[in-house]
Amino acid sequence: MSIDSKIKEVKKCPVQYVLAIQEAMNAIQGKWKVHIIASLLFGPKRFSEIQKSVGRINPRMLSKELKELELNGIIKREIQNISPVVIEYSLTESGCKLKKVLDAMIDWGIEHRVISLKKLKHGK
Amino acid sequence: MSIDSKIKEVKKCPVQYVLAIQEAMNAIQGKWKVHIIASLLFGPKRFSEIQKSVGRINPRMLSKELKELELNGIIKREIQNISPVVIEYSLTESGCKLKKVLDAMIDWGIEHRVISLKKLKHGK
DNA sequence: CAGCATCCTCACCGATACTG
DNA sequence: CAGTATCGGTGAGGATGCTG
């Protein structure tokens, strides 16, 4: 079965529907996952670079989140065999495709804020 | 400024980017929010109907999640003045628009699963 | 029917210090 | 640089029983 028809099928069944969503939720939930993914959308980075760009995350958390993202197939960890050794993190194919999800969330987030403000003004 | 240009602007700035995403994350995070929203996408429902359709959620949790969703402007709670009194929950305008986000997550979720399985087969 | 009150537990997360 | 080890707080969420 093609992916497209599979998608259509899932959208009809409430149970499958929620399961597929949770697959995506898993990928981005946790306090830092979105920050890390967003950071890597701007290009591959090393551990300390991510740490800087994310801000105020401690190494234990960063290490943990990176491991989970890697296990989930969102990012990949590569050891460059140049000297000195450099370890670089980057998004996988799946990881890159998450951008569509994040973009949909941004569109909604901004629209939602606008709608909420409008209702406040009108005293609703 | 129009919403569209506001969206374009936000997507350029990493900080704004993540903030807008978290606006959306807030709306759907929690163990039951997606279930509840998905349930209400099929039409307005009463407390006990939601409870049945979601399955195994206890009333305390359902009550709490519904309150949060209402406060966030995702659902509305309406008391029908017929006798006996009926209390009905339904999605707001913003709530309905969340469907786009959920659909994007489903698309990604299914594709991601397919990609992962392929890699397993090829022994990567 | 549509919730609220209470108690409890465990996973999430932070701070700090240490290592190859 | 790229992490690991240890300790400790807090809050999300479960179980159960009660109420207008």
Side-chain angles (χ1 to χ4, degrees):
Chain A
M1 194 190 297
S2 77
I3 290 193
D4 281 353
S5 55
K6 176 78 182 162
I7 289 175
K8 272 188 192 165
E9 195 199 331
V10 168
K11 285 182 182 167
K12 281 180 198 158
C13 169
V15 178
Q16 291 294 313
Y17 190 99
V18 173
L19 279 177
I21 292 172
Q22 273 164 347
E23 190 102 6
M25 289 291 286
N26 250 324
I28 57 176
Q29 106 193 149
K31 192 166 179 186
W32 301 105
K33 298 239 167 60
V34 172
H35 293 265
I36 294 169
I37 293 166
S39 166
L40 290 179
L41 275 173
F42 291 85
K45 285 197 175 52
R46 300 170 59 178
F47 191 92
S48 53
E49 290 172 329
I50 301 174
Q51 198 172 4
K52 255 177 248 162
S53 90
V54 164
R56 312 223 161 275
I57 184 174
N58 66 37
R60 190 185 73 90
M61 283 312 293
L62 182 52
S63 172
K64 198 190 124 213
E65 303 276 57
L66 286 172
K67 247 174 218 158
E68 286 172 18
L69 286 168
E70 197 192 348
L71 232 159
N72 216 329
I74 312 296
I75 64 172
K76 52 178 179 288
R77 177 181 186 274
E78 275 164 322
I79 304 173
Q80 319 274 13
N81 254 342
I82 54 174
S83 162
V85 172
V86 167
I87 296 168
E88 208 173 55
Y89 293 91
S90 59
L91 294 173
T92 60
E93 193 191 339
S94 264
C96 289
K97 286 186 177 161
L98 261 178
K99 189 168 188 311
K100 276 188 203 160
V101 175
L102 299 183
D103 280 347
M105 295 178 92
I106 292 173
D107 293 353
W108 184 89
I110 293 173
E111 265 195 75
H112 180 61
R113 206 179 313 170
V114 172
I115 291 176
S116 300
L117 288 176
K118 240 185 237 166
K119 293 209 171 156
L120 273 178
K121 268 189 196 166
H122 294 236
K124 292 189 191 176
Chain B
M1 193 189 295
S2 79
I3 289 193
D4 281 352
S5 55
K6 176 77 181 163
I7 289 176
K8 272 189 191 167
E9 195 198 334
V10 168
K11 284 183 183 168
K12 282 182 198 159
C13 169
V15 178
Q16 291 293 312
Y17 191 100
V18 173
L19 279 177
I21 292 172
Q22 273 164 347
E23 190 102 6
M25 288 292 285
N26 250 325
I28 57 176
Q29 107 195 145
K31 191 166 180 186
W32 302 105
K33 299 237 168 61
V34 173
H35 293 265
I36 294 169
I37 294 166
S39 166
L40 290 179
L41 275 174
F42 291 85
K45 285 196 175 53
R46 301 168 59 177
F47 191 92
S48 53
E49 291 173 329
I50 301 174
Q51 198 172 4
K52 256 177 251 164
S53 90
V54 164
R56 313 224 161 275
I57 183 173
N58 67 36
R60 191 186 71 89
M61 284 311 294
L62 182 53
S63 172
K64 197 189 126 212
E65 303 275 59
L66 286 172
K67 245 176 218 157
E68 286 172 19
L69 286 168
E70 196 191 349
L71 234 158
N72 216 329
I74 312 295
I75 64 172
K76 50 178 179 287
R77 178 180 186 274
E78 275 164 322
I79 303 173
Q80 317 275 14
N81 255 340
I82 55 175
S83 163
V85 172
V86 167
I87 296 168
E88 208 173 55
Y89 293 92
S90 59
L91 294 172
T92 61
E93 192 192 339
S94 265
C96 290
K97 285 185 178 162
L98 261 177
K99 189 168 188 313
K100 276 187 203 161
V101 175
L102 298 183
D103 280 347
M105 296 178 92
I106 292 172
D107 294 353
W108 184 89
I110 293 172
E111 265 195 74
H112 179 59
R113 208 180 312 169
V114 173
I115 291 176
S116 300
L117 288 176
K118 239 185 240 168
K119 293 207 171 158
L120 273 178
K121 267 190 199 167
H122 294 237
K124 293 189 191 178

